[in-house]
C-alpha cells in the first residue's frame, strides 16, 4: 500500500513538472507583439546595494539600450555604498544617456528595496517607469520589447522571465538551475495554463499613473512580496499583465549553498502566504526528495527503484527546460545539480511552511496577511488587511 501511495505522489509531482516544462517552452516560442507606433520616454530605476556579480557589465547593458529616449536613475541608501562608484563610472562612459546617481537614506516602509525605489522615483521625469534589479543583464532591445507589450490593449504591467547565468560557484549553479526550471516554469504555467497573476520584480514596466492608482511605492513598501502584490492590485483594477517571451539574465555569481537556501526560503515564505494551497503541493515538485523519503520510510525493496527513476526523469525535464533557454550542461553536472536542487528545495519547504518572521537589515519582522511586514507584536492586533483602494 505504501508503495502505491509513493507511486501516486511521484506521478502527481512529475506530471506537474511536465506541465511546467511544456508551458515554459511554449511561452518562450511566443512571437513578440506588434511593434509600438509610438515609443514613450522611459525612466529606468536601478536600486543597488553592494557589489553584485558583474555589476558593471549589468549596468552597461541598461545604458546600451537601442531606444530613442530613456534615463537611468541608480541609487542606494548609503553614500558609502561601493555600488555607487561603479554606477558613476558606467554613467560617465555613456554621456549621451541622461542619468542620476542617488544616495538617499529615507525609508517609506519596511521593505528596503521598495523604499529605495521610492527615493529613485523622486528623480524620474517620465510617465513610463521600468524597475530593473542590479543583478540582471539585458539585451539591447530589452526596453523596446517591454514597451511593445505595454502598448497592447489593456496592458498596464509587463514583467520578464528570468534566466540564471554567470555562476561562479556550486551555489550559483544550483541557483541558476532553479531559476531556469522551477521559477521560470512556475511563472509560465501560471500565465499560460491558469491565466493567473505571477510577477517577478526583477523586471517590471508600468506607468506612474497605474502605480499611483494602487497606492504607490508607499503602499508596496509594506509587503515582502511587493512585486506579486503590485501585480494583484493592477489585475484587480481590470488591467492585463503581460509576460515577455524574451528572458533576461540573472547573474547568479558565487553564492554559497547556504546563501541560495536562504533566498529560496524567503521566496517560500512569500508563496506560503500568497497561495497556501499552491505552496502545499510544491513539495511534490521535488521528485528526488519525495522518492528518497519514500525509500527511507518503506525500507529496502521495490521502493528503492523509484529513487533513480525520479532522479533520471527529473534530469530529463530539467534538460528540456534549460535547452529552451540555450543552456547546455554535461551529464555529470546535470545529475549533481538536479540532486542538489531537489534536496535543497525540499529542505527549505517545511521551514517556510512554519516560519512567521523574516530578518531584514538586522530587524526581525513578522509576516502578516499578503506578506505584509509587521513589527514584533503587531500581528496579533492586526485586523484583516484592507485592500489598496481602502488604505491609499
Amino acid at each position: 500500500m505504501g508503495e502505491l501511495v509513493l507511486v501516486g505522489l511521484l506521478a502527481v509531482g512529475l506530471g506537474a513538472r511536465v506541465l511546467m516544462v511544456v508551458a515554459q517552452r511554449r511561452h518562450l516560442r511566443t512571437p513578440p507583439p506588434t511593434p509600438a507606433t509610438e515609443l514613450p520616454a522611459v525612466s529606468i530605476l536601478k536600486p543597488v546595494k553592494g557589489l553584485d556579480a558583474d555589476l558593471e557589465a549589468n549596468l552597461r547593458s541598461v545604458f546600451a539600450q537601442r531606444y530613442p529616449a530613456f534615463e537611468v536613475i541608480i541609487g542606494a541608501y548609503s553614500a558609502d555604498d561601493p555600488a555607487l562608484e561603479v554606477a558613476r563610472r558606467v554613467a560617465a562612459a555613456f554621456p549621451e544617456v541622461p542619468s542620476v546617481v542617488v544616495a538617499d537614506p529615507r525609508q517609506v516602509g519596511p521593505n528596503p528595496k521598495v523604499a529605495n525605489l521610492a527615493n529613485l522615483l523622486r528623480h524620474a521625469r517620465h510617465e513610463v517607469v521600468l524597475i530593473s534589479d542590479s543583478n540582471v543583464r539585458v539585451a539591447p532591445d530589452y526596453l523596446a520589447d517591454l514597451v511593445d507589450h505595454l502598448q497592447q490593449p489593456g496592458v498596464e504591467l509587463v514583467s520578464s522571465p528570468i534566466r540564471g547565468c554567470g555562476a561562479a560557484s556550486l551555489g550559483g549553479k544550483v541557483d541558476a538551475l532553479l531559476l531556469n526550471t522551477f521559477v521560470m516554469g512556475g511563472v509560465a504555467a501560471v500565465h499560460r495554463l491558469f491565466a493567473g497573476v505571477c510577477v517577478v520584480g526583477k523586471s517590471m514596466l508600468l506607468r506612474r499613473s497605474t502605480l499611483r492608482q494602487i497606492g504607490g511605492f508607499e503602499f508596496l513598501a509594506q509587503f515582502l512580496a511587493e512585486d506579486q502584490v503590485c501585480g494583484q492590485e493592477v489585475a484587480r483594477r481590470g488591467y492585463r499583465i503581460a509576460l515577455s517571451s524574451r528572458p533576461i539574465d540573472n547573474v547568479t555569481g558565487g553564492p554559497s549553498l547556504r546563501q541560495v537556501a536562504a533566498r529560496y526560503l524567503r521566496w517560500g515564505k512569500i508563496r506560503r502566504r500568497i497561495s497556501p494551497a499552491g505552496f502545499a503541493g510544491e513539495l511534490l515538485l521535488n521528485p528526488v526528495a519525495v522518492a528518497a523519503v519514500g525509500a527511507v520510510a518503506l525500507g529496502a525493496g521495490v521502493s528503492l527503484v523509484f529513487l533513480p527513476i525520479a532522479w533520471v526523469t527529473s534530469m530529463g525535464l530539467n534538460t528540456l527546460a534549460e535547452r529552451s533557454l540555450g543552456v547546455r550542461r554535461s551529464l555529470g553536472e546535470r545529475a549533481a545539480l538536479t540532486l542538489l536542487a531537489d534536496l535543497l528545495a525540499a529542505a527549505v519547504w517545511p521551514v517556510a511552511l512554519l516560519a512567521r518572521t523574516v530578518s531584514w537589515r538586522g530587524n526581525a519582522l513578522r509576516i502578516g496577511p499578503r506578506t505584509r511586514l509587521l513589527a514584533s507584536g503587531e500581528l496579533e492586533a492586526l485586523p484583516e488587511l484592507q485592500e489598496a483602494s481602502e488604505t491609499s
Side-chain angles (χ1 to χ4, degrees):
M1 180 64 180
E3 290 172 346
L4 289 176
V5 172
L6 179 57
V7 169
L9 293 175
L10 288 173
V12 170
L14 289 170
R17 288 282 303 277
V18 168
L19 291 177
M20 291 166 64
V21 172
V22 170
Q24 175 175 326
R25 291 175 67 89
R26 286 184 177 177
H27 184 76
L28 293 174
R29 291 197 297 265
T30 303
T34 303
T37 55
E38 296 182 5
L39 296 176
V42 179
S43 295
I44 302 176
L45 309 184
K46 273 279 184 183
V48 295
K49 185 180 186 300
L51 296 176
D52 288 312
D54 294 340
L55 176 61
E56 183 166 344
N58 299 343
L59 295 179
R60 281 180 171 271
S61 73
V62 172
F63 278 83
Q65 290 300 294
R66 291 195 294 259
Y67 194 84
F70 67 97
E71 63 179 358
V72 183
I73 301 107
I74 307 170
Y77 283 109
S78 172
D80 297 329
D81 194 307
L84 297 183
E85 181 57 35
V86 177
R88 294 187 186 97
R89 184 165 63 246
V90 173
F94 293 86
E96 72 281 5
V97 177
S99 62
V100 181
V101 178
V102 179
D104 191 337
R106 286 177 287 182
Q107 297 190 29
V108 299
N111 184 315
K113 173 187 172 181
V114 182
N116 195 359
L117 287 169
N119 296 336
L120 301 185
L121 188 63
R122 297 185 178 101
H123 300 267
R125 299 178 298 165
H126 305 310
E127 166 66 10
V128 179
V129 174
L130 171 63
I131 299 166
S132 177
D133 279 6
S134 57
N135 63 353
V136 300
R137 189 174 304 163
V138 296
D141 59 352
Y142 159 67
L143 183 53
D145 173 66
L146 294 183
V147 171
D148 288 344
H149 282 83
L150 189 67
Q151 300 288 64
Q152 300 305 300
V155 173
E156 287 294 337
L157 176 63
V158 187
S159 62
S160 303
I162 312 298
R163 172 174 51 201
C165 72
S169 68
L170 180 59
K173 291 180 179 181
V174 171
D175 191 9
L177 178 65
L178 286 169
L179 287 171
N180 295 341
T181 56
F182 175 76
V183 175
M184 189 181 293
V187 172
V190 170
H191 275 268
R192 294 192 67 90
L193 303 181
F194 305 107
V197 175
C198 188
V199 178
V200 179
K202 288 185 175 296
S203 171
M204 297 197 311
L205 185 76
L206 73 168
R207 297 177 177 89
R208 294 176 75 156
S209 57
T210 306
L211 185 59
R212 284 193 295 269
Q213 285 185 50
I214 68 173
F217 286 135
E218 292 78 9
F219 170 70
L220 295 178
Q222 301 176 70
F223 299 94
L224 178 62
E226 82 287 340
D227 44 7
Q228 181 66 11
V229 171
C230 180
Q232 290 176 340
E233 292 298 323
V234 170
R236 279 187 64 245
R237 285 157 175 79
Y239 300 128
R240 292 174 54 210
I241 297 172
L243 178 67
S244 171
S245 59
R246 299 185 182 182
I248 62 173
D249 288 333
N250 183 158
V251 182
T252 60
S256 66
L257 284 172
R258 182 172 183 174
Q259 289 172 317
V260 173
R263 183 151 73 102
Y264 283 86
L265 174 59
R266 178 165 61 88
W267 286 359
K269 293 174 182 177
I270 288 172
R271 297 192 303 277
R272 160 70 176 82
R273 284 154 184 85
I274 292 292
S275 178
F279 180 79
E282 277 187 17
L283 187 60
L284 299 181
L285 299 178
N286 307 298
V288 176
V290 172
V293 171
V296 171
L298 299 175
V302 71
S303 61
L304 291 175
V305 176
F306 299 136
L307 181 56
I309 292 174
W311 192 352
V312 171
T313 305
S314 188
M315 284 173 54
L317 292 172
N318 288 345
T319 299
L320 289 173
E322 288 205 304
R323 284 189 175 176
S324 69
L325 296 165
V327 177
R328 299 290 189 272
R329 301 183 190 275
S330 68
L331 180 61
E333 181 181 43
R334 176 79 63 197
L337 293 182
T338 295
L339 177 63
L340 285 172
D342 262 37
L343 295 180
L344 183 147
V348 163
W349 186 87
V351 182
L353 178 66
L354 300 174
R356 301 184 69 194
T357 63
V358 64
S359 179
W360 235 338
R361 297 180 178 273
N363 298 317
L365 299 169
R366 303 188 76 176
I367 309 171
R370 299 183 75 195
T371 75
R372 185 175 178 184
L373 295 167
L374 308 163
S376 180
E378 187 180 353
L379 185 61
E380 290 80 358
L382 184 74
E384 187 66 24
L385 183 65
Q386 301 298 305
E387 297 292 351
S389 58
E390 300 171 351
T391 60
S392 58

